[in-house]
């Protein structure tokens, strides 16, 4: 390995200042992945708590995705209303909606899922759009921040509790969390386990989306970084692997939106239909 | 040098997302920033509200309408197909009945014609026979009349001739009786 490195360094020398820069700043990957402020708003102090609502790169990405969604789906709605047979973009988006409705929400939630469809549509397409936008050069990945995914998971968590309580009553919902037929002496443990289960579900959602969306980018940066560490000779390897990871990320972008929505539908469906 | 870096703690810090920054803002990947979280929730619910009104509602409505339309069309087509099949069967039945009727009418007509013909033929035959018989009897009668008149004539002639020949020896009535008796012995033909 050392021989190979020496060979590469000798035959394809890298700009030494660049190498120094990469080695000096060990956090250069972190630097690329982390958030950058775009518009600073003075932090609000509520009691002893400071809330910084300044718009950062990731918030900007979320906003771009949201605006894009409003434009595209608004157009699709108008175009589908005009024609009896949807074409082009309207047709494509409607196909995705049918996919979410029939293959994501309905199997996970069971009957009576139509009422919650707008919520799941928004969730699926919002995550999908944020993920896809992150693949364009110059854009940042909104969902590669744990704060954003935590926000989305928190929405799912709140929705789960609200719909669970709405459908089963306050006491009925929390009673229904504990499976029936549990012996009395196990009850205290079960209460703790089920309560923890409530919290781990959205936690897992947040971590899964965050990790999946971050990992691909880190790998791509690391592969590009290899060029500066090992020399220009590894460019074909780096670019090839980066391209591979990039294509993989397109798959991951769609897959994670699907998984997040499906699990959200599953959790909310479980909270509503507690009997099974 | 580069391999040394790979084995250095700095590299693993990067891999484990542990920041070496010692600035006041602790910026690690795993720290949750409330601002970002709140922005996410605000954007999400704003998006949900806007899209529910302007996109999901109309899109779902048009989708459901279309699906309902397709379902209705299929059902209607199924119903119409059944109806058509029913009508076809009915038509076939009617056609068969009409065919049978026609055949019956034809056979009846044929029968009637046959009967009429037979009747006519028999009637004609009878008529002919009767006419022949009539003619025959007429001829017979005429012949008889002619014969009688001839007999009379012959008798008269004979009487006259005999009277002339025998010269009034016999009176006419006696003569005539003898002649008549003679003629009666003559065969009719």
């Amino acid at each position: 390995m050392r021989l190979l490195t020496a060979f590469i360094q000798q035959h394809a020398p890298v700009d030494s200042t660049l190498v120094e820069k990469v080695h000096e700043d060990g956090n250069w990957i972190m630097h690329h992945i982390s958030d950058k402020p775009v518009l600073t708003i003075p932090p609000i102090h509520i009691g002893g708590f400071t809330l910084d609502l300044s718009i950062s790169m990731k918030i900007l990405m979320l906003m771009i995705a949201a605006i894009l969604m409003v434009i595209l789906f608004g157009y699709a709605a108008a175009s589908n209303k005009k024609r009896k047979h949807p074409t082009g973009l309207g047709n494509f988006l409607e196909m995705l909606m049918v996919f979410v409705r029939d293959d994501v929400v309905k199997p996970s939630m069971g009957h009576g899922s139509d009422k919650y469809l707008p919520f799941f549509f928004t969730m699926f397409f919002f995550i999908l759009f944020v993920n896809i936008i992150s693949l364009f050069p110059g854009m940042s990945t909104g969902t590669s921040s744990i704060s954003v995914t935590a926000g989305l998971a928190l929405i799912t968590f709140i929705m789960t509790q609200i719909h669970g309580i709405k459908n089963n009553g306050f006491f009925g919902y929390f009673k229904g969390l504990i499976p029936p037929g549990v012996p009395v002496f196990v009850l205290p443990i079960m209460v703790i386990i089920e309560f923890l289960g409530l919290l781990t579900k959205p936690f897992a959602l947040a971590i899964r989306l965050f990790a999946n969306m971050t990992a691909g980018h880190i790998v791509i940066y690391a592969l590009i970084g290899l060029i500066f560490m090992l020399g220009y000779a590894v460019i074909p390897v780096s670019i090839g692997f980066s391209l591979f990871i990039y294509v993989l990320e397109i798959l991951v972008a769609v897959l994670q939106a699907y998984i997040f929505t499906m699990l959200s539908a599953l959790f909310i469906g479980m909270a509503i239909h507690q009997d099974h | 040098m580069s391999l040394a870096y790979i084995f250095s703690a700095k590299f693993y810090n990067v891999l484990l997302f542990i920041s070496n920054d010692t600035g006041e803002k602790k910026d690690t990947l795993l720290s949750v920033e409330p601002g970002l979280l709140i922005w996410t929730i605000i954007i999400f619910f704003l998006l949900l509200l806007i899209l529910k009104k302007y996109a999901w509602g109309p899109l779902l409505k048009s989708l459901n309408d279309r699906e309902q339309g397709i379902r209705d069309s299929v059902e209607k087509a199924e119903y119409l197909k059944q109806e058509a099949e029913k009508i076809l069967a009915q038509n076939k039945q009617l056609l068969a009945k009409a065919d049978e009727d026609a055949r019956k009418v034809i056979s009846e007509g044929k029968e009637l014609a046959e009967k009429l013909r037979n009747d006519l033929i028999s009637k004609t035959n009878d008529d002919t026979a009767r006419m022949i018989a009539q003619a025959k009897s007429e001829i017979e009668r005429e012949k008889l009349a002619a014969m009688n008149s001839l007999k009379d004539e012959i008798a008269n002639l004979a009487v006259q001739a005999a009277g002339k020949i025998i010269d009034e020896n016999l009176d006419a009535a006696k003569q005539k009786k003898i002649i008549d008796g003679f003629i009666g012995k003559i065969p009719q033909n």
Side-chain angles (χ1 to χ4, degrees), chain B residues 48-63:
Chain B
L48 178 59
L49 277 180
I50 294 168
L51 285 182
K52 198 175 181 178
K53 182 138 191 269
Y54 294 107
W56 305 139
L59 277 172
L60 271 178
K61 198 184 161 287
S62 72
L63 185 64

Side-chain angles (χ1 to χ4, degrees), chain B residues 50-83:
Chain B
I50 294 168
L51 285 182
K52 198 175 181 178
K53 182 138 191 269
Y54 294 107
W56 305 139
L59 277 172
L60 271 178
K61 198 184 161 287
S62 72
L63 185 64
N64 286 338
D65 284 355
R66 196 162 351 105
E67 278 177 345
Q68 191 61 42
I70 289 166
R71 215 171 293 137
D72 286 353
S73 299
V74 169
E75 263 170 33
K76 204 175 164 192
E78 198 73 25
Y79 170 76
L80 285 178
K81 198 183 146 207
Q82 277 177 6
E83 203 71 355

Side-chain angles (χ1 to χ4, degrees), chain A residues 194-254:
Chain A
E194 289 298 335
F195 186 71
L196 280 176
L198 274 186
L199 300 178
T200 46
K201 281 172 192 165
F203 183 74
L205 274 183
I207 294 291
R208 182 182 300 111
L209 183 56
F210 155 73
N212 273 289
M213 291 319 295
T214 312
H217 288 67
I218 287 182
V219 171
I220 288 177
Y221 286 130
L223 283 169
I224 302 294
L226 280 181
I227 296 170
F228 301 106
M229 286 187 195
L230 302 179
Y232 290 137
V234 288
I235 285 177
V237 182
S238 280
I239 298 293
F241 273 101
S242 296
L243 207 63
F244 168 68
I245 299 294
Y246 196 88
V247 173
L248 198 69
E249 274 213 79
I250 299 173
L251 173 73
V252 170
V254 180

Side-chain angles (χ1 to χ4, degrees), chain A residues 159-212:
Chain A
M159 282 290 157
T160 310
Q161 309 317 315
I162 287 175
H163 289 305
I165 289 167
K166 214 191 247 172
N167 280 275
N168 302 296
F170 187 79
F171 292 106
Y173 172 62
F174 287 106
K175 227 175 95 183
L177 284 179
I178 296 151
V182 171
V184 183
F185 64 90
V186 197
L187 262 179
I189 305 165
M190 283 307 285
V191 169
I192 295 164
I193 288 172
E194 289 298 335
F195 186 71
L196 280 176
L198 274 186
L199 300 178
T200 46
K201 281 172 192 165
F203 183 74
L205 274 183
I207 294 291
R208 182 182 300 111
L209 183 56
F210 155 73
N212 273 289

Side-chain angles (χ1 to χ4, degrees), chain A residues 24 26 53 94 101 122 147, chain B residues 10 14 33 39 56 66-67:
Chain A
E24 282 298 305
L53 281 181
E94 197 189 270
R101 187 190 65 178
T122 312
S147 312
Chain B
K10 219 173 178 181
V14 172
E33 291 165 50
W39 267 113
W56 305 139
R66 196 162 351 105
E67 278 177 345

Side-chain angles (χ1 to χ4, degrees), chain A residues 45-76:
Chain A
H45 298 276
I46 310 162
F49 190 69
T50 346
L51 192 59
D52 186 12
L53 281 181
S54 47
I55 294 174
S56 67
M57 196 66 185
K58 297 209 161 143
I59 296 169
L60 191 69
M61 288 302 123
L62 300 186
M63 284 172 169
I64 290 171
I67 290 165
L68 210 61
M69 271 175 82
V70 171
I71 293 169
L72 290 182
F73 282 99
Y75 169 77

Side-chain angles (χ1 to χ4, degrees), chain B residues 6-59:
Chain B
I6 287 170
F7 289 112
S8 71
K10 219 173 178 181
F11 186 76
Y12 289 101
N13 282 352
V14 172
L15 281 186
L16 295 170
F17 318 127
I18 297 164
S19 173
N20 282 354
D21 276 10
T22 44
E24 52 181 65
K25 197 181 167 197
K26 214 171 157 245
D27 184 26
T28 64
L29 273 183
L30 277 174
S31 64
V32 176
E33 291 165 50
L36 202 44
L37 193 146
I38 285 167
W39 267 113
T40 305
I41 294 173
I42 290 170
I43 290 171
F44 182 85
F45 278 106
L46 272 178
L47 191 61
L48 178 59
L49 277 180
I50 294 168
L51 285 182
K52 198 175 181 178
K53 182 138 191 269
Y54 294 107
W56 305 139
L59 277 172

